[in-house]
Amino acid sequence: MNYQAILNQIQKDIKPYLGQGKVADYIPALAGIDPIKFGMSIHTVDGIHAHIGDAQENFSIQSISKILTLTMAIAANDAGIWKRVGREPSGSKFNSLIQLELEQGIPRNPFINAGAHVITDIICSHIREPKEAILEFVRMISMNDQIDFDYAVAQSERETGNRNLAMGYFMKSFGNIHNKVREVLDVYFHQCSLSMSCSDLSKAFLYLANEGVIPSSEKAIIPKKASDRINALMLTCGMYDSVGDFAYRVGLPSKSGVGGGIVSIVPGEMSIAVWSPGLSESGNSLAGTKALELFVNYTGKTIF
Ligand code: GLN
C-alpha cells in the first residue's frame, strides 16, 4: 500500500475541515495556536513512514501524555493501580468533578484528568525524579533527545489549573492521592506540556502496535498483555465522551489531547498521529478525527 499517496489524498480532502472547531483557550498559552495547522504521520512496525503537512512541527501533546504515564505506572508493577482507578468510559467531560463525589474519589479510567492524576501520583510514589523520568522515557521511545517540556505551557496551566487542583484535593480527601497534591499536579502539568510533532508521536507509540516492544531496537517496554490492555483502554476510554462515536467512525484504539493531537494504533501494523488544533464539543480534534476516518476508509485498517 502506498501510504504517502493516501496521506497526500487526505491532505486534499481535509481542506474544508481546517479551521473548524474551537482552539482550546482555557489554557491561555494554547489559545494563540493557528487553527489552520494540520499534520499527519504514520510509522509502521516494518519501518515504513509517511508524513504530510505540519507533521514535523511541535505542538502541546496534552492528554496524549496520559498513555506515557500509564505505561510507566504499569511498568513500575504497582499492584494497587486498578483498585484506585477504574476501566470504564466516563460518559462525561474529561475534567468533570461530578462522578468523583458519587464514586468515592475513584476515577472512572486513567484517561480522564482525575484518573491521570492518580496514575501520576503512583509514578511519584515509585520514582524519585518523576519529571526527569518522563522526559527520559519519552525521548527513548521516540528516539529524539530534543523532546522537552514547554515550560510556558506548564506554567500557564499551573496558573489556571484550579479545576485540576480541585480534583486532586477532592481525591486526596478520599485517600486516593498519596503524595502532596501540588507536587503531583506539577508533574501532571509538565507531562501535558510536552512539545512533540506528529512524527515523534507516531514513532513513540509504535510499541503499542508491536506487542509492547519497540520494533527497531527490539527493546521490550511492557509485556504483550499490558500493551493489549492499554489498547483496550484507549478504544473504550481514549476519546472522552465521544468514544462511541469515534469507535463507530474510526474503530482504532486512540488517545486525544486538547492541543489538537490524536494518536491511533493499528495493532500489529502501525501507529498514526494527527494534529489539527480546532476541537469538537467533546474536546477532540475535529479535522484530526475526520482525517483518521478518511485513512481508515481508504486503507480498510480498522480493528473491526
Ligand atoms: N492539560 C489538560 C487539562 O488538564 C489536558 C486535558 C486534555 O488534553 N483533554 O485540562
Side-chain angles (χ1 to χ4, degrees), residues 26-27 62-63 66 94 113 157 164 188 192 240 257-258:
Y26 75 101
I27 303 171
Q62 292 295 318
S63 282
K66 291 168 183 169
F94 63 84
N113 285 14
E157 204 167 342
N164 277 316
Y188 172 79
C192 289
Y240 306 120
V258 291

Side-chain angles (χ1 to χ4, degrees), residues 75-100:
N77 267 327
D78 189 290
I81 182 168
W82 300 119
K83 295 192 184 76
R84 295 177 56 192
V85 59
R87 300 191 292 255
E88 295 294 345
S90 69
S92 49
K93 265 190 86 67
F94 63 84
N95 55 5
S96 168
L97 279 147
I98 295 169
Q99 268 168 358
L100 278 182

Side-chain angles (χ1 to χ4, degrees), residues 131-182:
K131 284 191 277 190
E132 287 69 14
I134 290 169
L135 264 189
E136 201 178 306
F137 178 63
V138 72
R139 286 174 178 169
M140 186 259 294
I141 59 174
S142 53
M143 293 168 205
N144 180 355
D145 284 342
Q146 304 302 310
I147 291 171
D148 211 340
F149 301 123
D150 182 328
Y151 293 92
V153 170
Q155 175 69 12
S156 176
E157 204 167 342
R158 189 173 21 224
E159 281 163 6
T160 55
N162 297 318
R163 180 171 275 266
N164 277 316
L165 283 159
M167 276 178 226
Y169 283 112
F170 199 44
M171 286 190 287
K172 185 129 182 123
S173 78
F174 288 101
N176 202 17
I177 294 286
H178 297 172
N179 297 280
K180 290 198 175 115
V181 172
R182 283 202 175 269

